[in-house]
Amino acid sequence: MGLLSKLFGKKGVEDNSSAPFVNPVKVEFHSHLIFGVDDGCEVIEQSIELLRGFAALGMTKVITTPHVMSDFYKNSKDNVYPLRDQIRKRLIEENIQIEFEAAAEYMIDDGFEKKIASGNLLTFGPKGKHILVELPFMTEPRNLSSSLFELQIAGYTPILAHPERYLYYANEKEKYHELKDRGVLLQLNMLSTIGYYSKPVADAAAYLVQNNLIDLVGSDTHHIRHMQLLPEVINHKLYRKVCEAELLNNYL
Ligand SMILES: [Fe+2]
């Protein structure tokens, strides 16, 4: 049980405060566990190790979200679903009790609107109408507004991945509110709470949490190093604060 001892080693998940804290989030929906299709897991053994870790952290369901980007990651149902099925088979063989689904994390790039028009998107949620989208880290894409509009008129609910990581919004915080006002759900990366990406990202995360702008949390786990930090996240006061909000994870 190497992974479990790594997860529950010195830092552990035990509570430091007076009242015991139980992580209320049971559905994890942002990760890169489909092996060999993006910058996440490379082989199925890594996928299984991480899923074993999510089960140990108390997750009952994982919806994994490989990148889809026009130039780099041309993932679709055609390659993702068969790999998902291979992983499901291994979960049964290894008796790992966790529900496992696959969707995607779509970059809003020049090719995205064509994908919306195709109607063949990797989605999730109770009606299969939730879709995870991300933006470039340097600049807001020109077609952000039109893409969101097209998603919504087609009946999808867009969830924006890690808004705290787009630092062009950090000095223009009204943008967060504008996105919320137009019905975009915001997903905080768990690792942002502990300053994993940078101090400005942690500050933006704190702003979003303190202003009740976060609808969901996700781990964005690509590899074991991310997972090893999750117990520290769960012990962090900003994570506990966001858990006081009515997060939508468990409805997915
Ligand atoms: Fe991601």
Side-chain angles (χ1 to χ4, degrees):
M1 251 347 147
L3 174 62
L4 296 187
S5 55
K6 274 183 251 168
L7 277 174
F8 301 119
K10 278 187 185 154
K11 286 198 167 162
V13 292
E14 64 267 46
D15 185 66
N16 293 329
S17 64
S18 51
F21 176 81
V22 177
N23 184 14
V25 175
K26 303 296 176 202
V27 178
E28 157 56 38
F29 82 102
H30 182 170
S31 64
H32 299 270
L33 308 186
I34 299 289
F35 54 97
V37 304
D38 65 4
D39 56 346
C41 292
E42 292 169 0
V43 292
I44 193 167
E45 286 71 24
Q46 293 170 340
S47 315
I48 296 301
E49 182 184 32
L50 292 174
L51 283 160
R52 198 190 297 279
F54 280 124
L57 284 168
M59 299 296 163
T60 57
K61 180 174 179 178
V62 167
I63 304 163
T64 198
T65 48
H67 288 290
V68 179
M69 293 182 195
S70 291
D71 297 334
F72 298 107
Y73 302 122
K74 299 178 191 297
N75 294 314
S76 68
K77 288 177 186 173
D78 292 345
N79 70 321
V80 168
Y81 282 175
L83 294 167
R84 172 203 64 186
D85 293 345
Q86 279 188 48
I87 294 171
R88 282 179 174 168
K89 192 164 166 271
R90 280 285 290 271
L91 289 173
I92 292 166
E93 285 166 7
E94 305 212 12
N95 198 24
I96 299 169
Q97 306 286 331
I98 198 158
E99 202 179 327
F100 182 60
E101 292 182 9
E105 179 182 20
Y106 285 97
M107 174 63 77
I108 297 191
D109 55 20
D110 287 343
F112 183 54
E113 284 161 282
K114 226 182 236 176
K115 294 187 182 84
I116 303 172
S118 79
N120 197 25
L121 296 171
L122 283 151
T123 57
F124 55 99
K127 293 181 181 162
K129 284 294 191 177
H130 287 71
I131 180 167
L132 184 66
V133 297
E134 66 172 331
L135 309 180
F137 288 120
M138 299 306 284
T139 51
E140 186 182 72
R142 287 167 300 154
N143 59 340
L144 173 60
S145 189
S146 56
S147 296
L148 293 174
F149 178 74
E150 283 169 36
L151 280 174
Q152 289 174 320
I153 56 168
Y156 297 105
T157 300
I159 301 175
L160 179 62
H162 39 64
E164 73 280 5
R165 296 193 67 191
Y166 313 121
L167 290 177
Y168 43 85
Y169 288 159
N171 294 324
E172 248 188 304
K173 295 197 171 63
E174 64 277 10
K175 289 277 194 174
Y176 297 135
H177 298 269
E178 283 171 25
L179 287 164
K180 289 280 291 186
D181 288 347
R182 60 185 296 176
V184 177
L185 302 178
L186 301 184
Q187 176 254 304
L188 181 81
N189 265 19
M190 293 172 74
L191 294 175
S192 298
T193 61
I194 58 168
Y196 173 79
Y197 303 101
S198 70
K199 173 80 166 65
V201 169
D203 291 345
Y207 175 86
L208 289 162
V209 173
Q210 277 148 15
N211 287 275
N212 293 316
L213 296 170
I214 296 300
D215 301 287
L216 306 114
V217 295
S219 71
D220 204 357
T221 296
H222 286 66
H223 44 67
I224 188 69
R225 294 182 299 287
H226 286 154
M227 172 156 278
Q228 285 165 339
L229 291 168
L230 295 180
E232 186 183 338
V233 170
I234 291 166
N235 272 326
H236 194 279
K237 61 180 187 307
L238 192 60
Y239 182 74
R240 293 183 178 198
K241 169 87 182 146
V242 74
C243 287
E244 288 170 14
E246 250 194 76
L247 296 174
L248 301 176
N249 286 68
N250 294 349
Y251 298 99
L252 295 175

